[in-house]
Amino acid sequence: MLVSFQKVSLRLGEKEVLRDFSLDLQNKGIYGVIGPSGCGKTTLLNLIQGFLQPDAGEIALFSDRISAVFQENRLLPWYTVYQNIALAARRPVGREEVEALLRRLCMPGELDSLPGSLSGGMARRVALARALLSESDILLLDEPFKGVDMACKRQCEKTLQALSGGRLTLLVTHDPGEAAALCDTAILVGGSPLRLRRTLRIDPQSRGRSAEELRRLMLAE
Amino acid sequence: MTRSTTRKRATSPHQKRRAIASKVGAVLAWALLWFLAARAVNKPLLVASPGETLRELLSLARDPAFYQTVLRSLASILGGFFSAVAAGCLVACLSLKSTFLRAFFAVPLGVVKATPVASFIILALVWLKSSHLSLFISFLMVLPLVAGNVYQGLVETDGKLLEMGRTFGFGRVGLWRHIYLPSAMPYFLAACKTGLGMAWKAGVAAEVLGMVSGTIGRQLYDAKIYLETPKLFAWTAVVILLSVGMERLFSWLVERLGAHWRKREGR
């Protein structure tokens, strides 16, 4: 088991977020966690990263080498784009490597910019570059394309698919189209407290049909 | 890695020239008012004119003992200042790590902040040799300021950035180096800038009250006792010039260090 939630319960203030929640991820690949906004998807990522401790149950991880795109960009405002990415890489990375990756994310020539001078979409792509370049076994992505314009999004998705290989990737999204375009498996969650509704294997040959099915399932829920 | 500690508003050369001209104009206007006041009073024992003060300053500058006096005061006061900066940072870091230590340090720091500097000078005269007086008083005045400010900066470090650092495996040293310290840096620099002025004023006051020989404070005291008002004004001008000079030097150093680190880490 690579990531396992065993009967996890969590209460945040008055709200019961999880009750006996279980989930096992056995293979590497991209998993899309899909559900309506505010249902607790991000909470699952926070539990994996240890920011929250469950009230009951157990979370097991096969590795603690994690990289992430958080709900917010969380870039260090006093460091340049290059410094932000290099610092989180867990290995020495040169400017050329970072520049090449940024180019693949439609963002050339911003290595020496400070995060404060970037637009929301650009800062998001820096956060994505930081997570992709970091040597990690688990990649957690919380709506990684938020604020990225449509023209760049497709290219960013391709880059993500190319560079996430060999890792267990959890992609949190409320967009069935995004999940179907990127993921190997879709995990539908919802309800309060959060429940696992269904898992769906995405057929790489017919991602469009998978997107339709995911949309239908979400509406049915 | 470095951080951008200050971001200046872009100014054109014309705007710069105008700003400098305004400053010089303001100083000249106040000098003129001073001149007119001295003339109206017409008693050099009460108010020395700008001319008399300048003459006295030039005469002081020709005397090698003047530089020794300035250096002695500077060394003591800066010694107190830098010791307080180091101790203040240590106190702030320890306070962040332990609730008990935070409460423990809060008591003396609160007392120091609330007590008039004159009380400490008189007490210190009982406890210490007068030659250590200004060092001790500068230390005492700057310590609570630096400790309080740096602690505030550390406490206000963005928790979400710390979470990010932990996820990416920064480690304890990395979290301090890349997140805590840059977050606290503006608070630290503000404390240093204010503290420098405070140390200088309190240190000279201690030298005056303690009649510490061979110091600026002693010169001020003697000038007052012997009714040498132009000398009193001249030494006061020296104190002001040194205070402004140190503040400028500090700002320049911060900027240079920032530029150096940016260059070094820019790779």
Side-chain angles (χ1 to χ4, degrees):
Chain A
M1 214 67 69
L2 301 182
V3 171
S4 165
F5 284 71
Q6 291 301 322
K7 290 187 174 263
V8 173
S9 297
L10 177 74
R11 185 176 276 281
L12 293 175
E14 290 297 298
K15 192 180 176 192
E16 188 177 29
V17 186
L18 299 175
R19 189 196 302 153
D20 292 335
F21 181 87
S22 295
L23 175 70
D24 291 321
L25 305 179
Q26 302 190 14
N27 303 307
K28 290 183 179 173
I30 306 180
Y31 293 86
V33 181
I34 310 162
S37 295
C39 71
K41 303 185 294 292
T42 299
T43 304
L44 296 178
L45 302 191
N46 287 341
L47 282 163
I48 290 175
Q49 289 171 95
F51 302 158
L52 295 171
Q53 293 302 320
D55 300 324
E58 211 171 75
I59 298 164
L61 307 174
F62 77 107
S63 168
D64 59 356
R65 294 208 320 165
I66 298 173
S67 63
V69 173
F70 304 90
Q71 211 165 35
E72 318 80 14
N73 295 321
R74 303 196 191 184
L75 299 173
L76 298 174
W78 38 84
Y79 287 153
T80 62
V81 165
Y82 166 69
Q83 289 167 336
N84 265 284
I85 295 170
L87 194 60
R90 294 188 172 104
R91 66 186 166 88
V93 288
R95 289 174 65 90
E96 300 73 23
E97 192 179 352
V98 176
E99 176 68 41
L101 175 58
L102 288 176
R103 213 174 299 121
R104 290 176 74 177
L105 296 170
C106 314
M107 213 186 125
E110 295 287 352
L111 277 191
D112 296 318
S113 302
L114 287 170
S117 67
L118 302 176
S119 70
M122 288 165 104
R124 199 66 182 154
R125 278 173 278 165
V126 175
L128 179 59
R130 177 177 65 185
L132 288 175
L133 210 65
S134 177
E135 277 200 341
S136 62
D137 300 312
I138 300 174
L139 180 59
L140 305 175
L141 306 170
D142 196 346
E143 313 241 6
F145 307 117
K146 196 166 56 184
V148 178
D149 59 79
M150 287 308 289
C152 285
K153 193 178 165 189
R154 191 66 213 117
Q155 195 173 329
C156 291
E157 284 176 350
K158 277 187 193 161
T159 307
L160 167 61
Q161 272 180 320
L163 296 182
S164 63
R167 295 190 253 207
L168 187 144
T169 302
L170 268 179
L171 169 79
V172 162
T173 179
H174 58 259
D175 177 1
E178 189 174 290
L182 281 168
C183 303
D184 306 311
T185 307
I187 302 166
L188 265 91
V189 292
S192 181
L194 188 78
R195 282 192 299 277
L196 179 62
R197 302 283 199 202
R198 195 172 165 165
T199 55
L200 185 78
R201 191 100 194 126
I202 307 281
D203 179 2
Q205 304 306 319
S206 57
R207 290 189 182 274
R209 203 179 310 145
S210 297
E212 281 308 312
E213 195 176 346
L214 279 174
R215 244 176 234 120
R216 190 179 53 73
L217 285 169
M218 277 183 79
L219 283 173
E221 294 293 341
Chain B
M1 300 282 172
T2 182
R3 62 160 302 175
S4 60
T5 48
T6 50
R7 196 176 295 171
K8 285 191 169 177
R9 227 170 7 155
T11 46
S12 67
H14 173 67
Q15 281 171 314
K16 254 186 190 171
R17 273 198 299 275
R18 262 182 63 175
I20 292 170
S22 300
K23 276 182 194 168
V24 172
V27 170
L28 288 177
W30 280 107
L32 180 68
L33 281 174
W34 174 16
F35 172 76
L36 293 174
R39 208 164 159 180
V41 174
N42 201 22
K43 282 182 183 156
L45 265 180
L46 288 181
V47 183
S49 70
E52 286 166 328
T53 306
L54 194 64
R55 265 196 300 280
E56 192 60 45
L57 254 180
L58 291 173
S59 124
L60 281 176
R62 281 194 290 269
D63 183 0
F66 165 77
Y67 299 99
Q68 278 177 3
T69 305
V70 167
L71 276 179
R72 194 167 296 141
S73 287
L74 257 180
S76 287
I77 292 168
L78 286 181
F81 169 78
F82 284 118
S83 319
V85 167
C89 290
L90 184 67
V91 166
C93 294
L94 292 173
S95 300
L96 186 75
K97 287 290 149 199
S98 155
T99 315
F100 167 74
L101 287 176
R102 181 160 70 243
F104 179 76
F105 289 127
V107 176
L109 293 181
V111 169
V112 171
K113 262 201 272 190
T115 309
V117 64
S119 306
F120 276 116
I121 294 172
I122 292 161
L123 271 176
L125 272 170
V126 178
W127 297 335
L128 300 169
K129 279 200 272 181
S130 66
S131 57
H132 296 149
L133 191 64
S134 55
L135 186 144
F136 177 70
I137 292 298
S138 317
F139 175 84
L140 218 54
M141 291 300 106
V142 177
L143 177 69
L145 182 72
V146 173
N149 258 37
V150 173
Y151 175 72
Q152 196 61 30
L154 293 174
V155 162
E156 287 183 14
T157 300
D158 187 346
K160 289 187 182 300
L161 291 183
L162 292 170
E163 283 181 353
M164 180 279 295
R166 288 191 191 104
T167 293
F168 282 100
F170 280 18
R172 192 175 292 221
V173 174
L175 287 179
W176 273 93
R177 184 175 162 201
H178 301 300
I179 302 178
Y180 275 119
L181 295 184
S183 295
M185 192 55 84
Y187 294 82
F188 170 75
L189 293 177
C192 285
K193 216 167 176 180
T194 313
L196 209 51
M198 273 173 69
W200 193 236
K201 276 186 260 186
V204 171
E207 288 173 353
V208 172
L209 286 179
M211 291 181 281
V212 187
S213 59
T215 62
I216 294 177
R218 179 61 189 254
Q219 298 298 328
L220 282 167
Y221 181 82
D222 286 349
K224 180 219 154 204
I225 288 293
Y226 299 119
L227 298 173
E228 295 172 306
T229 309
K231 204 173 203 173
L232 185 63
F233 272 55
W235 276 109
T236 306
V238 169
V239 172
I240 294 167
L241 288 173
L242 282 171
S243 177
V244 172
M246 279 198 304
E247 202 189 301
R248 291 276 158 87
L249 181 68
F250 178 76
S251 299
W252 179 80
L253 271 176
V254 167
E255 227 162 83
R256 293 288 299 175
L257 279 175
H260 171 75
W261 278 95
R262 270 192 292 278
K263 205 172 156 189
R264 208 182 84 134
E265 300 293 338
R267 285 182 287 204

